[in-house]
């Protein structure tokens, strides 16, 4: 019998006879599924199916009001509740990621799709490190996680850390334009964390930009010795940029045994694990930067001694090393229960970051055991981020309750919203307008027993009262300072100090009065955040570079020009040989469409990185057109989606409104500045079935310098009425004749004085029964290749008044337009693969729904050598090509790495990306959902397991060095063209013996029941759905492997198709004799 949750109302306690558990059907005596041979019962569900359908939606529910007592609902609510507030038991020693911003791949893709990719994006302007936010989010939405990480690390070498700990509500998200809408700003921090961690799993090393002069050829000034003091985010950033510039002798001196500065020692692992910080340092070390640990400024060396040792420039980014302590706590120690944040957070960090502990042990430094509060209450003083880190860490060190006390009101809390929300969710008690006045010590134990506090609110000069808070420990988080001592002495000996004893730093250059000394991070006086420290390091690197070059009499640009992030992926060659005389620098081109309306636009596109472009189709002046308006509208195929990311567009635009002379002059100008080796320009021309017209257009384009011709015989609207476009392309004889006329005319004298033939491509229409036959006739006519496909004729947006959109004029008339975008991708892939299969090796330029590198790879695999793009640019802008380039380079590179062979494109295997923001795997054999009593049971068991572990997690091995190298050659574009074609064929060629069934992963399941519902009403009633746990289960013998369940499942990889155990025997209903 199914065990029921305690306290669940009787109305929800369904009897076992109403719940189908397939593995125990026989034991319980439930009627097994049967198929009667009686004709009269074939149209009715048998008892088994009726039982299985118990929880399936029914129309009757939509027609009647439901009456349930509130008491019943209240009890039921507790059963179905997701994620109750955590208890001290579940938090004790629990250093798992708790950030609400953390995203799975599913969440990352959905969130990235919301981004508007705004012009002059405020999010970028609000980021201290100036990360190109819209570009990296574009890459994520296109499943180019490498490209996203490349964009992030280009501007921020500690991009993983910042993605995890940045107070984004005050920075980038604070400027997000979507914050003006109901759905709110984009989760930029979560997206940055997701992308950089995905890249970390790829384990690809950083290299210096190969387009820059090699370090061997640089002046001797680049060999100057440079010292960076403190291995925190400021120094990691500074060292990275100096190494990217070409400096080869950079050393970071770090006081501690571990690296990372405050990011490691004072940010708890549930916000920032140590392996993330270590990985950022490894990326820096890839460029040759050295790190020396156990060396402290003011004790082991000084700024002056570094200069005497030959260091030409010094950067100091050691933070503020001394905690501020008020008079009430002078003389108290950790043994008594008093901690400063500088005491407590490093101890808590070591207890949750195994690699930090290991580093200290290797250096022979004793480590105090982490504090254990054993259920006692703890008081934290302060209202900044550090105070709230102390509060939530104290809970994980066994505190029963934590009080956060601060002098001002809630409006005076300096901590970011994200930190405060976590503390409140974890039941920290916040006490504003109070200050400590005295500490009470237990005479027997010598430890703190209470803290006296007094209200800061006064009436007529009188305090409103005081209180005594019982506690076992007090943590002071009143900030830090540069107190008198070795660090201050070392700095004051070489540079000017202000009246508070801090170095005087120019915030525009990070320089000091000593030309060779630069200061950043907290010590610089402006910075308060990790990302701001990284920005200081970047700025300092440039002006250190300027200073070092000035020493040798060399100059650098006035405006900083920092190299970006590069890896071996960026060296992958994307050039492709299409046909004789036509080689594309990369396979991405602009289609003959709105993005190529003018030659000035094509020029900008080439400058953005497009490998080729096809001019807007033009004809002879006698066929000149004037367009109507409105004429380009969003499609209806994506539902009520507004903004970018449209799945389709519909247009009734005709060919170019510009003259033949304009385009021929434009071709001359563009080819003068963009030779064929750099960019390919294809002239798109159109005429009726008239040999003279085609020959005149062809000769004019060829003589102007076009690298190839595209014959538009496929425009589905307007032009066909003039005997052009579709009117030619639907007639095989016309196609063959036109190709023959143009091919004969498309010749010119080459650079060597010999006559050369210019490649000709026929652009095919999908609005025909057999596109392969048209392609064959184009080839017979001498065309060097074909472009497939043009837009698909269609009609969209009929409103309730029977008016279409677009509609023109006072009569609101419309016409059938051309549908483009993702909606026609399946038709385009079918056309490309069919032509490739019928005409092996015949060059094809694909167009129709390509909007990413991953999709472009599909077209290459289908047989295309190049991909023309329009709708994706209409959704955004020309710069998307950079995402396509890096995405395709990454896909090709990853094919050369054996250790990445189980990745699906740039998606990690489910084992590596298993941690789901919704679901935590159950630590046992049985699987339970993650809500109500089951969630509490899982949390209790997890807490019991944590008590048994000396550390909450084993050291991670992400980004281990040396990085794996390619184990085989990186494929070229030509290598992958047509790779999928041999697997595409007729239905009867498919295996009738190898079948699969669905398998559901209960750890990833979110209990929505979509698989159960679609199987019931669209398939084979082969999935059960437990009334208590809402866990679906596949009945293997009934599953036919149709895959509908996987198709509607909202969680990536929750359902997979696995081989059937035994043969598939269809249920025929009435047996066939």
């Amino acid at each position: 019998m199914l065990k029921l949750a305690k306290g669940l109302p009787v109305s929800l306690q369904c009897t076992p006879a109403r719940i189908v558990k397939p593995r125990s059907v026989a034991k319980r005596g439930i009627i097994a599924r049967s198929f009667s041979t009686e004709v009269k019962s074939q149209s009715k569900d048998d008892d088994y199916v009726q039982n299985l359908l118990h929880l399936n939606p029914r129309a009757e529910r939509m027609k009647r009001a439901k009456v349930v007592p509130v008491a019943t609902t209240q009890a039921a609510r507790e059963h179905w509740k997701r994620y109750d507030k955590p208890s001290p038991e579940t938090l004790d020693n629990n250093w798992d990621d708790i950030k609400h911003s953390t995203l799975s791949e599913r969440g990352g893709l959905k969130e990235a799709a919301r981004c508007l990719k705004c012009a002059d994006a405020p999010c970028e302007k609000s980021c201290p490190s100036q990360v190109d936010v819209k570009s990296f989010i574009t890459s994520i939405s296109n499943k180019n996680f490498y490209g996203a990480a490349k964009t992030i690390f280009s501007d921020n070498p500690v991009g993983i850390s910042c993605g995890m700990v940045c107070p984004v509500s005050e920075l980038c998200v604070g400027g997000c334009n979507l914050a003006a809408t109901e759905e709110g700003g984009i989760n930029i921090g979560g997206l940055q964390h997701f992308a950089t961690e995905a890249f970390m799993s790829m384990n690809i090393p950083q290299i210096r930009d190969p387009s820059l002069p090699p370090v061997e050829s640089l002046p001797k000034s680049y060999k100057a010795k440079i010292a960076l003091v403190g291995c925190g985010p400021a120094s990691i950033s500074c060292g990275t940029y100096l190494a990217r510039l070409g400096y080869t002798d950079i050393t970071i001196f770090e006081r501690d045994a571990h690296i990372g500065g405050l990011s490691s020692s004072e940010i708890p692992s549930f916000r920032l694990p140590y392996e993330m910080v270590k990985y950022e340092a490894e990326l820096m070390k890839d460029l040759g930067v050295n790190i020396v640990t156990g060396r402290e400024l003011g004790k082991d060396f000084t700024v002056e001694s570094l200069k005497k040792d030959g260091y030409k420039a010094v950067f100091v980014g050691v933070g503020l090393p001394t905690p501020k302590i008020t008079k009430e706590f002078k003389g108290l120690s950790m043994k008594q229960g008093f901690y400063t944040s500088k005491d407590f957070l490093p101890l808590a960090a070591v207890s949750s970051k195994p690699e930090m502990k290991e580093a200290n042990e290797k250096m022979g430094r004793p480590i105090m055991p982490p504090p254990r509060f054993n259920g006692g209450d703890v008081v934290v003083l302060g209202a900044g981020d550090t105070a709230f880190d102390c509060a939530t860490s104290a809970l994980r060190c066994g505190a029963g309750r934590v009080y956060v006390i601060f002098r001002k009101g809630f409006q005076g809390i300096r901590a970011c919203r994200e930190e405060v929300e976590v503390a409140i969710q974890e039941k920290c008690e916040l006490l504003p307008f109070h200050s400590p006045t005295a500490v009470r010590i237990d005479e027997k134990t010598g430890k703190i027993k209470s803290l006296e506090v007094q209200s800061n609110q006064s009436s007529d000069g009188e305090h409103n009262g005081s209180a005594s808070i019982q506690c076992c420990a007090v943590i002071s988080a009143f900030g830090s300072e540069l107190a008198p001592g070795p660090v201050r002495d070392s700095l004051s000996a070489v540079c000017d100090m202000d009246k508070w004893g801090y170095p005087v730093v120019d915030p525009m250059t990070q320089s000091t009065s000593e030309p060779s000394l630069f200061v950043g991070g907290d010590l610089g006086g402006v910075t308060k955040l990790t990302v701001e420290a990284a920005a200081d390091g970047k700025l300092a690197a440039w002006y250190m570079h300027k200073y070092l070059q000035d020493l040798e009499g060399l100059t650098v640009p006035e405006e900083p020009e920092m190299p970006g992030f590069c890896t071996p992926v960026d060296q992958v060659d994307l050039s492709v040989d299409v046909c004789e005389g036509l080689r594309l620098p990369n396979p991405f081109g602009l289609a003959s469409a709105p993005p190529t309306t003018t030659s000035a636009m094509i020029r900008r596109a080439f400058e953005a990185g497009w490998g080729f472009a096809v001019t807007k189709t033009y004809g002879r002046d006698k066929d000149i057109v004037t367009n109507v308006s409105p004429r380009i509208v969003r499609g209806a195929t994506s539902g009520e989606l507004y903004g970018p990311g449209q799945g389709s567009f519909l247009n009734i635009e005709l060919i170019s409104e510009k003259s033949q002379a304009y385009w021929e002059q434009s071709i001359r100008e563009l080819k003068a500045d963009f030779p064929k080796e750099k960019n390919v320009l294809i002239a798109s021309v159109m005429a009726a079935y008239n040999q003279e017209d085609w020959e005149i257009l062809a000769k004019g384009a060829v003589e102007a310098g076009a690298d190839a011709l595209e014959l538009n015989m496929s425009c589905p609207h307007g032009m066909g009425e003039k005997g052009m476009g579709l009117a030619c392309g639907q007639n095989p004889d016309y196609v063959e004749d036109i190709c023959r006329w143009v091919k004969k005319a498309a010749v010119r004298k080459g650079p060597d004085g010999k006559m050369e033939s210019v490649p000709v491509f026929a652009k095919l229409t999908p609005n025909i029964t057999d596109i392969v036959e048209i392609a064959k006739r184009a080839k017979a006519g001498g065309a060097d290749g074909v472009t497939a496909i043009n837009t698909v004729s269609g009609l969209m947006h009929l409103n309730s008044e029977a008016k279409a959109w677009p509609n023109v004029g006072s009569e609101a008339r419309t016409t059938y337009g051309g549908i483009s975008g993702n909606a026609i991708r399946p038709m385009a892939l079918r056309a490309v693969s069919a032509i490739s299969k019928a005409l092996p090796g015949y060059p094809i330029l694909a167009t129709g729904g390509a909007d990413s590198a991953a999709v472009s790879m599909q077209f290459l695999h289908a047989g295309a050598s190049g991909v023309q793009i329009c709708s994706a640019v209409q959704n955004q802008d020309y710069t998307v090509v950079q995402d396509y380039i890096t995405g395709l380079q990454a896909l090709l590179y990853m094919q050369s790495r054996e250790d990445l062979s189980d990745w699906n494109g740039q998606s990690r295997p489910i084992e590596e990306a298993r941690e789901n923001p919704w679901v935590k795997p159950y630590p046992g054999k049985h699987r339970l959902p993650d809500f109500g009593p089951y969630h509490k049971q899982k949390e209790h068991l997890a807490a019991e397991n944590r008590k048994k572990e000396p550390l909450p997690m084993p050291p991670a091995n992400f980004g281990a060095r040396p990085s794996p190298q390619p184990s085989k050659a990186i494929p070229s574009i030509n290598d992958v063209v047509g790779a999928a074609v041999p697997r595409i064929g007729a239905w009867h060629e498919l295996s009738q013996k190898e079948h699969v069934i669905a398998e559901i992963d209960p750890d990833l399941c979110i209990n929505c029941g979509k698989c159960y519902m679609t199987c019931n009403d669209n398939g084979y009633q082969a999935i059960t759905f437990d009334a208590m746990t809402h866990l679906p289960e596949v009945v293997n013998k009934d599953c036919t492997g149709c895959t509908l369940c996987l198709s509607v499942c909202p969680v990536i990889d929750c359902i997979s198709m696995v081989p059937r155990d035994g043969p598939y025997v269809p249920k025929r209903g009435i047996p066939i004799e």
Side-chain angles (χ1 to χ4, degrees):
M1 178 176 289
L2 182 67
K3 188 174 181 180
L4 301 177
K6 292 182 180 180
L8 194 62
V10 174
S11 63
L12 290 181
Q13 295 182 1
C14 306
T15 62
R18 297 170 65 190
I19 304 168
V20 179
K21 300 291 284 185
R23 293 177 181 172
S24 56
V25 164
K27 292 181 181 180
R28 287 198 236 139
I30 298 177
I31 300 172
R33 187 169 192 171
S34 63
F35 288 85
S36 171
T37 59
E38 297 181 23
V39 176
K40 63 180 181 180
S41 64
Q42 293 302 313
S43 63
K44 294 182 179 179
D45 291 319
D46 60 24
D47 292 342
Y48 173 92
V49 173
Q50 289 186 37
N51 186 49
L52 181 143
L53 293 174
H54 171 63
L55 298 177
N56 206 51
R58 297 176 184 274
E60 288 81 0
R61 174 66 188 90
M62 303 167 69
K63 300 175 182 178
R64 298 190 180 98
K66 189 174 182 180
V67 180
V68 177
V70 172
T72 302
T73 303
Q74 289 176 343
R77 188 164 61 230
E78 290 302 310
H79 179 80
W80 302 111
K81 179 181 279 188
R82 292 277 180 178
Y83 296 145
D84 200 1
K85 291 182 179 179
S87 64
E89 178 200 35
T90 62
L91 292 175
D92 190 6
N93 204 31
N94 181 0
W95 303 92
D96 294 343
D97 184 354
I98 59 160
K99 298 184 300 298
H100 299 304
S101 61
T102 300
L103 296 167
S104 64
E105 181 173 327
R106 172 199 182 274
L109 293 173
K110 289 181 73 68
E111 186 67 6
R114 289 206 304 125
C115 180
L116 301 179
K117 292 88 177 179
C118 305
D120 198 29
C123 52
E124 178 180 337
K125 294 175 178 294
S126 304
C127 174
S129 59
Q130 301 298 298
V131 169
D132 188 352
V133 176
K134 69 177 184 301
S135 292
F136 90 70
I137 295 182
T138 293
S139 293
I140 293 175
S141 64
N142 289 337
K143 299 191 76 170
N144 177 14
F145 309 139
Y146 169 79
K150 175 180 169 66
T151 299
I152 294 164
F153 285 128
S154 286
D155 273 306
N156 186 353
V158 291
I160 304 180
S161 295
C162 292
M164 299 185 78
V165 304
C166 262
V168 291
S169 61
E170 306 298 324
L171 302 174
C172 50
V173 178
C176 178
N177 288 327
L178 274 175
T181 66
E182 299 90 338
E183 60 265 35
I186 297 294
N187 179 4
I188 297 173
L191 289 171
Q192 181 165 321
H193 171 200
F194 166 73
T196 50
E197 187 173 312
F199 172 75
M200 184 169 71
S201 297
M202 296 178 187
N203 203 1
I204 302 172
Q206 180 175 194
I207 63 172
R208 188 165 172 269
D209 188 343
S211 68
L212 296 174
V215 292
E216 298 81 13
S217 66
L218 293 173
K220 66 176 184 179
S221 55
Y222 285 86
K223 296 176 176 59
K225 293 178 68 176
I226 302 173
L228 312 179
V229 183
C231 192
S235 291
I236 291 175
S237 176
C238 185
T240 297
Y241 283 109
L242 287 169
R244 288 180 188 173
L245 285 165
Y247 291 92
T248 57
D249 195 349
I250 307 167
T251 303
I252 296 181
F253 297 98
E254 167 56 46
R255 175 193 64 185
D256 295 320
H258 57 269
I259 53 88
L262 303 188
S263 294
S264 296
S265 62
E266 295 193 19
I267 299 179
S269 64
F270 56 81
R271 291 186 62 217
L272 180 60
Y274 181 72
E275 59 264 26
M276 307 299 185
V277 180
K278 182 182 177 184
Y279 177 69
E280 292 166 339
E282 292 294 342
L283 286 176
M284 176 187 68
K285 289 165 64 178
D286 288 339
L287 300 175
V289 178
N290 300 306
I291 300 176
V292 179
T293 55
R295 300 269 288 167
E296 184 174 356
L297 177 64
K299 292 185 178 180
D300 300 303
F301 62 90
T302 65
V303 175
E304 285 185 309
S305 70
L306 289 173
K307 293 175 67 177
K308 290 178 181 177
D309 289 341
Y311 288 94
K312 299 296 184 181
V314 178
F315 174 80
V316 179
V318 296
L320 300 176
T322 309
K324 295 178 181 178
I325 303 176
T326 57
K327 65 181 187 303
E328 295 84 8
F329 305 104
K330 297 289 185 181
L332 293 178
S333 67
M334 288 189 284
K335 288 184 179 181
Q336 294 173 288
F338 174 72
Y339 301 83
T340 67
S341 60
K342 294 284 184 184
D343 299 325
F344 174 71
L345 287 176
L347 291 175
V350 169
S351 74
S352 63
K353 300 179 179 181
E355 288 187 323
M356 284 179 61
K357 181 180 179 181
E358 183 182 351
N360 281 275
E361 290 174 345
K362 285 183 178 179
M363 191 170 281
R365 294 189 172 186
I367 303 174
M368 287 184 60
R372 292 297 306 164
F373 300 124
N374 300 317
D377 292 349
V378 174
V379 171
V380 176
L381 303 172
D385 290 327
T386 301
F388 283 91
D389 276 342
C390 290
T392 49
S393 295
L395 290 168
R396 286 156 178 80
C397 291
R401 179 178 298 175
V402 174
Y403 298 92
V404 182
I405 300 176
F406 41 97
R407 296 186 181 97
K408 299 180 181 180
F410 283 92
Q411 300 303 317
I413 292 178
R414 301 189 313 279
C416 66
R417 185 181 68 197
E418 292 87 346
E419 290 245 41
V420 177
E421 287 175 350
V422 169
I424 292 174
Q425 182 184 18
E426 295 187 350
K427 300 183 180 179
C428 292
E429 305 288 352
L430 275 57
L431 185 60
F433 296 117
H434 281 78
S435 298
T437 57
V439 180
R440 304 300 178 199
I441 305 296
D442 189 310
E443 294 180 358
K444 295 181 180 180
T445 63
K447 296 184 178 182
I448 292 174
K449 68 175 182 179
S450 66
L451 178 69
E452 303 294 324
V453 296
Q454 183 173 270
S455 171
N456 295 333
Q457 292 179 306
S458 61
S459 175
D460 299 326
E462 298 292 329
H463 289 285
N464 287 346
S466 60
S468 178
I469 299 177
Q470 304 298 310
C471 60
C472 67
V474 174
I475 303 171
S476 172
F478 284 141
S480 304
E481 60 186 351
L482 181 61
V487 174
R488 183 192 281 190
D489 294 342
S490 179
L491 292 169
S492 62
V494 295
C495 72
D496 294 341
M497 309 290 279
D498 63 21
K499 63 182 180 181
W500 296 283
Y502 291 84
V504 177
V505 180
D506 181 354
M508 298 295 105
T509 63
Q510 303 303 135
S511 60
T512 66
S513 59
E514 163 53 47
S516 65
L517 177 64
F518 297 78
V519 175
D522 290 345
L523 192 59
V526 176
T527 293
K528 302 297 181 186
L529 305 170
T530 300
V531 67
E532 292 175 339
D536 279 1
K538 183 198 294 188
L539 186 65
W542 177 259
Y543 285 98
M544 292 171 77
H545 169 55
K546 189 175 189 301
Y547 166 74
L548 291 169
Q549 297 309 304
D550 285 345
L551 290 179
E552 300 295 329
L554 302 173
T555 60
V556 299
E558 285 299 319
E559 288 294 319
E561 296 178 2
M562 283 296 191
F565 181 78
C566 288
T567 76
V569 171
D570 302 302
Q571 296 178 304
V572 174
D573 180 17
L574 293 185
S575 62
V576 54
D577 293 308
V578 180
C579 62
E580 185 177 352
L582 189 62
R583 180 182 178 87
L584 303 178
N586 67 60
F588 302 110
L590 291 175
S592 174
T596 59
T597 294
T598 69
S599 54
M601 294 169 67
I602 295 175
R603 177 179 293 275
R604 285 193 285 115
F606 282 163
E607 291 168 350
W610 292 89
F612 70 101
V614 186
T615 68
K616 182 79 168 169
T617 301
Y618 65 93
R620 295 195 63 190
D621 291 349
K622 67 184 180 67
D623 295 320
I624 201 74
V625 302
T626 300
N627 278 302
V628 298
S629 62
R631 61 181 179 273
I632 305 174
V633 300
R634 57 178 286 273
T637 57
S638 299
E640 297 307 311
L641 173 67
Y642 298 93
Q646 294 298 323
S648 65
F649 290 91
L650 179 138
N651 83 88
I652 54 173
E653 182 167 283
L654 303 183
I655 63 174
S656 176
E657 296 176 322
K658 299 189 181 299
S659 67
Q660 179 182 352
Y662 167 86
W663 281 111
E664 290 175 357
Q665 176 61 24
S666 293
I667 292 169
R668 293 186 188 93
E669 293 177 10
L670 289 171
K671 293 317 300 176
D673 296 335
F674 300 94
K676 183 167 64 173
E677 294 73 25
K678 185 178 179 181
N679 299 94
V680 168
L681 181 62
I682 301 175
S684 176
V685 295
M686 179 188 286
Y689 184 66
N690 182 304
Q691 182 173 355
E692 181 183 10
D693 288 348
W694 283 105
E695 289 176 346
I696 289 173
L697 289 167
K699 289 177 180 178
V702 167
E703 290 171 2
D707 298 311
L709 300 179
E710 183 176 89
L711 315 183
N712 189 337
M713 295 181 280
S714 49
C715 183
H717 50 270
M719 302 311 295
E721 300 165 18
K722 300 173 179 286
M724 306 164 73
L726 190 75
C728 294
Q730 289 181 330
N731 188 314
D733 295 333
Y734 285 10
V735 170
E736 182 173 342
D737 288 345
I738 292 170
C739 290
R740 183 174 294 109
W741 298 336
V742 174
K743 187 60 184 174
K744 185 177 181 180
V747 293
R748 64 184 169 210
K749 187 177 292 186
D752 58 0
K754 297 181 180 179
M755 298 302 292
E756 65 178 13
S757 177
V758 174
V760 172
F761 285 76
K763 188 169 187 178
L764 307 185
T765 176
N767 303 293
I768 194 168
T769 303
D770 187 2
I771 197 171
V772 172
E773 180 60 28
I774 302 296
K776 289 179 178 179
R777 298 296 290 273
K779 183 179 182 183
D784 297 273
V786 294
T787 299
I789 56 177
N790 207 322
T791 56
V792 177
S793 183
L795 179 69
M796 286 195 190
H797 297 296
L798 283 171
N799 66 16
S800 59
E801 297 178 348
K803 293 180 181 178
W805 182 248
N807 61 68
V808 178
S810 58
E811 296 184 2
R813 299 186 67 84
T814 193
T815 187
Y816 298 115
I819 301 171
S820 64
N822 296 355
I824 71 167
R825 184 190 303 156
M827 290 168 267
L829 283 169
R830 192 241 184 242
V832 170
S833 60
I835 294 169
S836 182
K837 194 169 186 70
L839 302 172
Y842 192 51
I844 304 171
L845 298 178
T847 182
D851 65 348
S852 67
V855 172
S856 297
M857 180 68 95
Q858 295 179 38
F859 279 105
L860 296 175
H861 283 160
S865 299
V867 183
Q868 297 182 17
I869 294 164
C870 164
S871 294
V873 177
Q874 292 179 168
N875 268 315
Q876 193 166 339
D877 56 69
Y878 290 141
T879 62
V880 293
V881 72
Q882 290 299 318
D883 169 65
Y884 301 165
I885 289 170
T886 58
L888 189 55
Q889 286 176 318
L891 290 172
L892 293 172
Y893 173 85
M894 293 175 75
Q895 291 185 33
S896 72
R897 287 262 302 271
E898 191 65 34
D899 60 306
L900 301 178
S901 60
D902 55 348
W903 285 51
N904 179 14
Q906 293 192 46
S907 296
R908 286 178 283 176
I910 186 61
E911 289 76 16
E912 289 191 30
R914 193 174 190 82
E915 187 62 31
N916 188 314
W918 297 299
V919 180
K920 294 177 182 177
Y922 178 69
K925 295 181 180 179
H926 302 290
R927 300 302 186 186
L928 296 176
D930 211 42
F931 57 78
Y934 310 112
H935 172 74
K936 291 179 181 178
Q937 184 180 354
K938 291 168 70 174
E939 290 291 290
H940 173 75
L941 290 171
E944 292 296 316
N945 287 338
R946 281 193 293 270
K947 291 178 183 178
K948 303 173 187 177
E949 296 289 335
L951 287 174
M953 63 188 79
N957 196 34
F958 285 122
R961 293 298 189 266
S963 298
Q965 296 299 307
S967 54
K968 52 188 176 183
I970 299 172
S972 68
I973 297 296
N974 286 107
D975 290 336
V976 301
V977 170
V981 174
R983 297 187 181 93
I984 302 171
W987 188 92
H988 72 268
E989 297 173 342
L990 305 178
S991 172
Q992 303 293 306
K993 297 180 180 180
E994 301 168 275
H995 287 268
V996 296
I997 59 173
E999 183 176 78
I1000 301 171
D1001 187 336
D1003 285 339
L1004 294 177
C1005 179
I1006 61 170
N1007 320 108
C1008 66
K1010 297 306 296 181
C1011 56
Y1012 164 77
M1013 293 157 63
T1014 196
C1015 187
N1016 286 339
D1017 288 0
N1018 301 280
Y1020 300 90
Q1021 301 85 50
I1023 298 177
T1024 65
F1025 195 56
D1026 193 291
M1028 304 301 297
T1029 66
H1030 277 189
L1031 282 175
E1033 187 171 359
V1034 176
V1035 183
N1036 293 349
K1037 64 183 181 62
D1038 293 335
C1039 179
T1040 68
C1042 73
T1043 324
L1044 257 178
C1045 55
L1046 184 152
S1047 301
V1048 301
C1049 179
V1051 179
I1052 298 172
D1053 290 327
C1054 179
I1055 300 180
S1056 55
M1057 306 307 293
V1058 299
R1060 171 183 287 277
D1061 184 13
Y1064 167 56
V1065 180
K1067 295 179 174 65
R1068 306 295 186 184
I1070 298 176
I1072 300 173
E1073 296 182 5

